Amino acid sequence: LPTAMLSAQPAGYNYDEAKVPAYTLPDPLVMADGTPVTSADQWPKRRDEIMDLFLQEVYGKAPGKPEGLHFKVIEQSDDAVNGKATRKQVRVFFDADETVAMDILIYLPKKLVDAKQPVPTFLTLNFFGNHSISDDPAIVLSESWMRSSKEKGVVDHRATEASRGASASRWPVETIIDRGYGLAAIYYGDIDPDFDDGFKNGVHALYDPPAKDGWGSIATWAWGLSRAMDYLETDAEIDANRVAVFGHSRLGKTSLWAGASDPRFSITISNDSGCGGAAISRRAFGETVARINTSFPHWFCDNYTKYNDNEAACPVDQHQLVALIAPRSVYIASAQGDTWADPRGEFLSAVHAAPVYQLLGTDGIGGETELPPVNEPIMHTMGYHIRTGKHNVTDFDWKAYMDFADQRWGK
Ligand code: GTR
């Protein structure tokens, strides 16, 4: 990732709160025909309306579970992470002919596996291959296309031995195991390589090219997370009722869409997800819809370009994405130095989704309306923090996510 570029403030965009345009957000609790939603039993109908708009105008429609989906354990060991964990690498084939597949790397606390206690697990996508999250030499070195050609030991868009552990600072594997959680990791490029190739590679190879409301890459990666969940549900060592889906940046946008579109995810975590993730688009603070659709034309469905420099015309905004997850737990995190992702806009989507959470009988974001002080996580059914530092995933973030999981899952 061009981290240096991300923590900078690209010129030509607004970073001044005083210059945020006046805006009116679409109300998640008013039906399309104007009827107010005042009781929980009206919510499913309103939720369908909002979901249809996100499918049609923002992320695009994905197919269901493919008929040929099947799984093979390609490697396993009961001696990983200094003897504290089991390791399993599972190949998920998206078709009967085994032409397209993704690998899931799974670490589980050995103590829980030995005690036959299903393990609550963080399901995550990563940017540089499963081998990049740890220097564990048994992790299969990814052969998939990689974005960078110079970073993280990647040469000519392929990983090399030097890529092992290159992103380990973002993945405190041993701490996760020590705290009694499992980690399931997938390289996002196995599902769909992150460049605009006209929807030919990755899993798109198995389907017709998408229409204007067809799945963009974010919807495709989220679909891959649902296929991973299909696997997790078959694995007795994993507690499929306690799976937290986590992602950073474009993969934070992805985890939010996965959590919204697949109710099997118990907790959804968005780390620094920004524009097209948790940030309110109408604020046009930092990255804008026009910029994201121009730089990354493959991420959203084609209809989303209608809202380039015209956010107010979009029938939905990102607080409604968060509302789609209700009443399930959601955690949104920001970084103070990540102005490109609009920290205040990320927080506000939690605030403006909270009425839906409250209607459904939860405490939402605990009635908070002001951005909390830095480094002080808020944890209710919805959680939020803004930490010091840049666009990144840090130990502070992971500690908050595991504390949140402890609280939500009553550990
Ligand atoms: C940036 C993009 C952001 C964010 C980020 C990332 O270039 O503008 O929306 O997704 O990439 O994924 O690291």
Side-chain angles (χ1 to χ4, degrees):
L1 278 235
T3 317
M5 186 203 97
L6 296 178
S7 46
Q9 301 187 338
Y13 298 91
N14 179 42
Y15 305 96
D16 180 353
E17 192 60 36
K19 293 191 180 132
V20 170
Y23 61 87
T24 309
L25 292 177
D27 192 332
L29 292 179
V30 177
M31 300 275 190
D33 69 3
T35 309
V37 177
T38 53
S39 69
D41 58 6
Q42 289 169 286
W43 174 245
K45 181 171 175 226
R46 176 59 181 147
R47 186 184 187 280
D48 285 350
E49 290 180 351
I50 296 171
M51 177 54 87
D52 286 348
L53 291 170
F54 275 102
L55 286 166
Q56 174 75 30
E57 304 296 317
V58 184
Y59 301 104
K61 297 169 186 159
K65 177 172 163 174
E67 257 179 48
L69 187 77
H70 62 284
F71 319 112
K72 278 182 196 166
V73 176
I74 56 169
E75 189 273 341
Q76 61 185 326
S77 161
D78 61 3
D79 183 15
V81 192
N82 297 319
K84 295 174 176 178
T86 64
R87 180 187 59 241
K88 186 158 24 178
Q89 299 183 72
V90 180
R91 191 151 289 169
V92 175
F93 293 98
F94 296 123
D95 57 327
D97 297 340
E98 306 195 343
T99 54
V100 190
M102 67 179 180
D103 285 353
I104 318 179
L105 165 67
I106 301 171
Y107 289 114
L108 301 175
K110 213 177 145 175
K111 264 195 271 182
L112 296 182
V113 173
D114 288 347
K116 301 217 179 305
Q117 275 183 48
V119 181
T121 297
F122 288 88
L123 174 63
T124 69
L125 295 175
N126 60 70
F127 287 96
F128 284 101
N130 293 342
H131 62 270
S132 72
I133 76 163
S134 157
D135 57 12
D136 178 347
I139 302 174
V140 174
L141 191 78
S142 175
E143 292 174 7
S144 296
W145 182 91
M146 307 263 151
R147 274 170 67 215
S148 165
S149 46
K150 346 187 207 326
E151 276 181 290
K152 312 257 181 191
V154 175
V155 176
D156 292 337
H157 297 285
R158 300 287 157 182
T160 68
E161 284 297 320
S163 310
R164 293 192 178 279
S167 300
S169 72
R170 287 183 173 181
W171 302 98
V173 178
E174 189 161 353
T175 311
I176 294 171
I177 295 298
D178 286 343
R179 290 194 56 166
Y181 290 110
L183 179 66
I186 299 164
Y187 173 51
Y188 80 138
D190 283 358
I191 307 163
D192 185 21
D194 190 1
F195 66 97
D196 186 18
D197 75 323
F199 297 98
K200 289 185 201 70
N201 57 19
V203 75
H204 291 131
L206 303 174
Y207 294 91
D208 292 335
K212 284 197 179 313
D213 63 352
W215 51 350
S217 292
I218 291 172
T220 311
W221 299 321
W223 177 92
L225 288 166
S226 288
R227 304 294 69 85
M229 191 64 181
D230 295 338
Y231 168 74
L232 298 181
E233 286 184 322
T234 69
D235 188 331
E237 292 178 349
I238 287 165
D239 184 349
N241 293 317
R242 291 191 293 171
V243 173
V245 63
F246 158 84
H248 167 62
S249 204
R250 69 198 66 185
L251 300 179
K253 310 179 206 298
T254 303
S255 64
L256 285 171
W257 182 237
S261 48
D262 190 334
R264 294 175 295 176
F265 295 116
S266 167
I267 295 179
T268 301
I269 303 166
S270 142
N271 193 86
D272 303 359
S273 62
C275 181
I280 298 288
S281 302
R282 278 165 173 74
R283 286 171 49 81
F285 187 106
E287 188 169 27
T288 62
V289 172
R291 196 280 183 180
I292 207 165
N293 280 328
T294 308
S295 300
F296 308 103
H298 55 298
W299 283 3
F300 299 86
C301 74
D302 285 352
N303 278 338
Y304 198 44
T305 60
K306 292 194 277 184
Y307 310 108
N308 289 357
D309 299 315
N310 196 13
E311 285 86 355
C314 188
V316 285
D317 210 317
Q318 300 304 107
H319 62 304
Q320 291 167 297
L321 172 64
V322 179
L324 289 173
I325 300 167
R328 286 169 291 128
S329 303
V330 64
Y331 197 107
I332 297 169
S334 308
Q336 201 177 22
D338 189 17
T339 47
W340 183 235
D342 186 13
R344 181 178 296 276
E346 292 175 320
F347 174 65
L348 287 175
S349 71
V351 171
H352 294 295
V356 175
Y357 275 83
Q358 280 160 334
L359 183 76
L360 300 180
T362 79
D363 62 349
I365 190 81
E368 303 286 346
T369 55
E370 295 299 323
L371 198 68
V374 289
N375 301 331
E376 290 184 23
I378 315 175
M379 295 189 196
H380 301 276
T381 307
M382 313 174 83
Y384 177 83
H385 71 243
I386 175 166
R387 61 156 170 77
T388 43
K390 296 190 294 195
H391 186 75
N392 197 1
V393 188
T394 67
D395 289 350
F396 182 94
D397 296 319
W398 271 106
K399 180 179 183 304
Y401 304 146
M402 289 188 276
D403 289 349
F404 187 65
D406 285 357
Q407 190 206 81
R408 301 319 303 166
W409 290 334
K411 271 189 84 211

